[in-house]
Amino acid sequence: MSHYITMYVLLFIRNDTGILKSIYMAQKLSAEAAKRKAARDLAFAKTPDRRAKKADAQRKRRADPKGSVGKDWDHKNQRWESPAQNRGNDGLGTKSESGKKYKTK
């Protein structure tokens, strides 16, 4: 029986804010484009709706630590779902869900 040793090397860089980021990015962007995208992403993450959803998901996770392992809270269906299912809107894509308000308390 052969034994294989698999070694993974994770490379990280420290960005302008001091946060470690993987050098393996999903998109190949220039440094300037990456900075603009990071600013857009941060601005969207700080909207009142996104903050409310994140706080609600955090409350739910703290209330159900075992049931939430490896899952995302779906604010539309009010249940734990796999990240792929939740982020892909149950296979329907995210355009139809854009701008909708869901219960966060």
Side-chain angles (χ1 to χ4, degrees), residues 42-59:
L42 185 60
F44 179 73
K46 288 185 174 183
T47 60
D49 185 50
R50 290 299 309 144
R51 283 181 184 247
K53 286 179 182 174
K54 285 190 278 185
D56 184 50
Q58 191 174 52
R59 279 192 297 273

Side-chain angles (χ1 to χ4, degrees), residues 19-32:
I19 297 172
L20 288 175
K21 295 262 188 171
S22 171
I23 64 167
Y24 302 105
M25 301 291 290
Q27 295 175 311
K28 295 185 189 236
L29 301 174
S30 68
E32 184 180 334

